[in-house]
Amino acid sequence: MTTATDTGAFRVLVVEDDPVIADSLVRGLRQAGYAADSVDTGRAALAAPVPDVLLLDLGLPDMDGVEVCRRIRQRSDTAIIAVTARGEEADRVLALDEGADDYLVKPFGLAELMARLRAVLRRTRPSEQEPVRHGPLTVDRRTRRVTVGGREVPLTPKEFDILACLAADPGRVVTRQEILESAWDAHWYGPTKVVDVHVAALRRKLGVPGLIETAYGRGFRLGEVAETP
């Protein structure tokens, strides 16, 4: 078992029997600020302290990863990302039906993994986040309330999810694909233009020029705006 120092960050347990892959994932996760550990069997995963996110390879040497997923889900609401080399849709559907929040198909890049982690944490742990204050804007994920200069702004569920996605890291450019995965579905296959339509509605409702900026060809971000006097 690979161990990690406690950084106070989200804890990720990598369940992977290939030591090269496991070490690479743990190293990348730690560099990104996560407290990452790894185990190489399903039984070790079931015996380990419950993490914030379980990165679970379905092809384990001692037991079926789907069974591990099922048992973890029976006792915990931890976020589970199933990792598999299996290309068949039925395998992915089975993992999702047994409680996985998302899945990745090998091979995958570290950037995609980080995007999936951010998305599942936004969906599964909104109540643990303090309200975000950015200039005149306040976004409270626990109550799903938005205020601008103390004035509450009623938003549709999708509009709120988009704004919360942007507010999770003010100033960072969030791609349309990331927004789709957060506000719609982790495996959205529709047009990305739907994001632009909702962002346009958000801008009108918030009524603060420059609050949501377009990074052309990339996505959107929260811009720097002054507090309302």
Side-chain angles (χ1 to χ4, degrees):
M1 176 174 178
T2 304
T3 59
T5 56
D6 185 7
T7 62
F10 285 114
R11 294 167 294 114
V12 181
L13 180 63
V14 176
V15 188
E16 167 62 62
D17 65 310
D18 186 321
V20 175
I21 295 176
D23 288 346
S24 175
L25 289 173
V26 168
R27 186 166 55 252
L29 288 163
R30 290 178 182 174
Q31 289 174 350
Y34 294 94
D37 301 331
S38 72
V39 295
D40 56 7
T41 66
R43 290 182 177 85
L46 293 171
V50 177
D52 296 300
V53 183
L54 190 71
L55 193 61
L56 175 63
D57 187 0
L58 297 183
L60 297 171
D62 61 333
M63 60 189 300
D64 191 344
V66 173
E67 177 62 21
V68 177
C69 181
R70 181 185 299 117
R71 294 190 190 183
I72 292 289
R73 182 55 71 231
Q74 287 173 349
R75 72 188 199 203
S76 171
D77 62 354
T78 190
I80 300 174
I81 300 177
V83 179
T84 177
R86 306 169 185 173
E88 290 79 6
E89 182 180 10
D91 291 320
R92 301 195 297 269
V93 170
L94 181 59
L96 293 170
D97 283 345
E98 292 299 338
D101 298 282
D102 200 354
Y103 66 83
L104 281 165
V105 177
K106 294 178 180 178
F108 56 87
L110 192 59
E112 182 181 6
L113 169 59
M114 296 306 170
R116 299 291 188 199
L117 280 171
R118 290 193 296 268
V120 298
L121 286 169
R122 283 193 296 266
R123 291 196 302 270
T124 61
R125 302 204 174 257
S127 62
E128 295 184 5
Q129 300 183 21
E130 293 294 322
V132 175
R133 294 175 177 83
H134 181 75
L137 174 71
T138 299
V139 179
D140 190 332
R141 295 196 58 148
R142 185 180 64 83
T143 63
R144 295 184 69 85
R145 295 179 64 208
V146 171
T147 60
V148 174
R151 169 183 62 90
E152 185 163 357
V153 181
L155 300 178
T156 67
K158 282 289 183 286
E159 290 167 352
F160 179 88
D161 289 342
I162 292 171
L163 185 58
C165 184
L166 297 175
D169 191 357
R172 182 178 77 87
V173 174
V174 183
T175 67
R176 288 172 175 81
Q177 189 60 40
E178 285 182 75
I179 294 173
L180 285 167
E181 291 173 358
S182 177
W184 273 264
D185 182 80
H187 302 283
W188 170 268
Y189 295 110
T192 60
K193 199 68 176 176
V194 66
V195 174
D196 298 69
V197 174
H198 283 78
V199 168
L202 255 178
R203 285 172 168 152
R204 288 193 300 270
K205 291 184 177 181
L206 296 174
V208 181
L211 182 56
I212 299 179
E213 296 180 341
T214 300
Y216 292 99
R218 297 165 63 197
F220 302 93
R221 66 183 165 212
L222 290 187
E224 292 296 331
V225 294
E227 288 275 5
T228 303

